Amino acid sequence: MLTDTQCRTAKPKDKPYKLSDGKGLYLEIKPNGVKAWRYRFELREGDSTKESVFAIGDYVAVPSGESSEEAQARRGGQRFSLAEARDERIKARALVKQGINPAHNRQRERIKRELENATTFEAVANEWLALKDWEEVTKTRRLDMLTRVVFPKIGSLPVKSITPAHILDVLNTAAKKNGLTVAAEAKRTMSGVFELAVSTLRVESDPVYPVRKALPANKTQHKRPLDSGEIGQLLRDVEGHGGRHETITAFRLMWLTLCRPSEATEARWDEFDLDAAVWRIPAERMKKRKAHAMPLPTQAVEMLRALHGLTGRHTHLFPHRDDRTKPMVAASFRQMLNSLGWGGKYSPHATRTTGSTRLNELGFASDWIERQLAHAEPNMVRRTYNHAEHLTDRAKMMQEWADMLDTWKRNDTKVVPIKERRIKA
């Protein structure tokens, strides 16, 4: 058997020569001074036995005081001491006993590592998003969160190398910079991505799970419905905002129809029949994936006829400021509201809650209100109710709603229930 002194002091000659260590392991000394570890083995292939040589790596004398990290990095560069070469021979011999060529196994392992390194968290996250049956606006918002909060931390890391410590760092940073709501969304999203990675055998477990309770629970605070006085003040503030005309008009359309913010901002001209005063939103733009018809009060029709002269040549009623082929984003509402001081008191999504509350107070049928809000009817029998009648009834209701908004905007906040108004009439 060789000694480390023999390996270290071996001098090159005109021709390559070998120093045997036994059991197939030898050190080859080349004329250029390189010393390489080789393992000679025999592998049975069919009815014959074939002799082969496995290149373990180059020899290196181990410096005194070398740390385990330094040794690991050295071995990663395929440089081994005598003792380490013997360990590699033992591993190679075990493979040969199983009928596996060590050289072929090393190649497979290298390809596997390259594939794992190529499978980054960002790649799996994009795959996860593509599988979701969500509206494009929802996917865009989620991708925006990932791009701002998660990808800068772990996006480029191989998904298999991400640990709970990485996840905790993401969550703590998000909580400090973006708040608990964003941190909670990041936690749910990362866990969903790892669920896909686990199910496709790219990781063994979800690293989010061990740190899932590291942050305080995020308690969603839903904005209360506005009263008539607040509605009037909000509408007056928005009208006097002096900001972008399309933003103000889209905001008014949302209030006049009680549609969702994204349904207003992404509205297309081919969805509207202004002569019939109907807005028909296709299924792909609806949250429940079901087409929805909205009656338009006269105020909305007049507003949109005026808008058509400005944006009618575009696909969308409210084109994006920078790219006119795309719609404006619903975040424009929040920016406007923040500048007006309404950011902490009212959310655009609270428009529908406010409308539902006030319309119920005014005595309108709950069926009409729920249908206007595009809420699914859980009762199958009730769901068969004639929708044409609903549309007619809803048209009357929404006209009264629009008239009431005008009244509140004029600062006349007295509310007369519908039953009393009909009795007086």
Side-chain angles (χ1 to χ4, degrees), residues 23-25 38-41 52-54 56 89 92-93 96:
K23 298 181 180 179
L25 179 65
R38 300 287 187 262
Y39 170 59
R40 187 185 302 278
F41 63 94
S52 298
V53 174
F54 173 51
I56 293 175
R89 177 195 60 197
R93 191 179 182 198
V96 171

Side-chain angles (χ1 to χ4, degrees), residues 35 60-61 88 103 132 164 195 246 256 262 277 281 285 288 290 304-305 406 409 414 424:
K35 303 173 183 180
V60 65
E88 292 300 308
K132 290 295 180 183
E195 183 180 2
E246 286 94 327
L256 289 168
S262 62
I281 308 177
R285 287 218 309 115
K288 300 297 183 181
K290 185 176 181 181
L304 296 182
R305 288 193 188 280
D406 287 343
K409 190 169 68 172
K414 184 179 180 181
K424 289 179 180 179

Side-chain angles (χ1 to χ4, degrees), residues 51-226:
E51 186 178 273
S52 298
V53 174
F54 173 51
I56 293 175
D58 293 344
Y59 165 78
V60 65
V62 180
S64 60
E66 182 184 45
S67 67
S68 59
E69 290 81 4
E70 291 171 331
Q72 186 176 2
R74 172 171 51 75
R75 290 193 295 271
Q78 300 300 304
R79 300 171 67 217
F80 300 89
S81 68
L82 172 59
E84 291 167 343
R86 287 169 177 165
D87 289 340
E88 292 300 308
R89 177 195 60 197
I90 292 172
K91 295 176 186 175
R93 191 179 182 198
L95 291 171
V96 171
K97 287 182 177 180
Q98 299 175 58
I100 301 172
N101 188 314
H104 296 168
N105 184 72
R106 173 186 284 173
Q107 186 177 27
R108 283 194 296 269
E109 289 298 316
R110 179 181 59 79
I111 294 172
K112 181 182 176 181
R113 285 194 303 272
E114 289 175 353
L115 289 173
E116 288 176 351
N117 289 335
T119 307
T120 63
F121 177 85
E122 183 172 351
V124 181
N126 286 324
E127 182 182 336
W128 176 79
L129 270 177
L131 292 172
K132 290 295 180 183
D133 183 24
W134 292 345
E135 293 182 45
E136 282 305 314
V137 65
T138 303
K139 289 186 177 182
T140 300
R141 282 198 299 266
R142 190 62 61 91
L143 180 59
D144 176 67
M145 183 279 296
L146 285 166
T147 303
R148 289 184 296 106
V149 177
V150 180
F151 290 165
K153 294 279 190 180
I154 63 173
S156 61
L157 296 180
V159 69
K160 196 169 186 176
S161 71
I162 297 172
T163 66
H166 289 114
I167 302 300
L168 186 58
D169 181 41
V170 173
L171 296 178
N172 283 332
T173 303
K176 291 176 183 177
K177 290 187 175 181
N178 310 98
L180 287 176
T181 299
V182 174
E185 182 183 5
K187 180 175 66 176
R188 292 193 304 272
T189 302
M190 289 189 292
S191 189
V193 172
F194 280 107
E195 183 180 2
L196 172 62
V198 170
S199 66
T200 52
L201 305 181
R202 284 175 279 190
V203 299
E204 294 181 359
S205 62
D206 176 8
V208 179
Y209 186 81
V211 296
R212 67 194 185 283
K213 296 183 179 179
L215 298 180
N218 176 47
K219 296 181 180 179
T220 303
Q221 295 183 347
H222 297 285
K223 298 292 188 297
R224 64 170 178 80
L226 302 181

Side-chain angles (χ1 to χ4, degrees), residues 222-255:
H222 297 285
K223 298 292 188 297
R224 64 170 178 80
L226 302 181
D227 61 34
S228 56
E230 291 170 320
I231 295 172
Q233 187 62 57
L234 171 63
L235 297 178
R236 289 192 297 274
D237 289 348
V238 169
E239 192 171 89
H241 173 50
R244 190 165 177 249
H245 176 70
E246 286 94 327
T247 304
I248 296 173
T249 305
F251 189 80
R252 288 187 62 200
L253 179 64
M254 179 180 66
W255 271 95

Side-chain angles (χ1 to χ4, degrees), residues 135 280-292:
E135 293 182 45
R280 300 186 183 279
I281 308 177
E284 60 268 20
R285 287 218 309 115
M286 293 299 297
K287 184 177 181 179
K288 300 297 183 181
R289 294 294 189 270
K290 185 176 181 181
H292 184 54

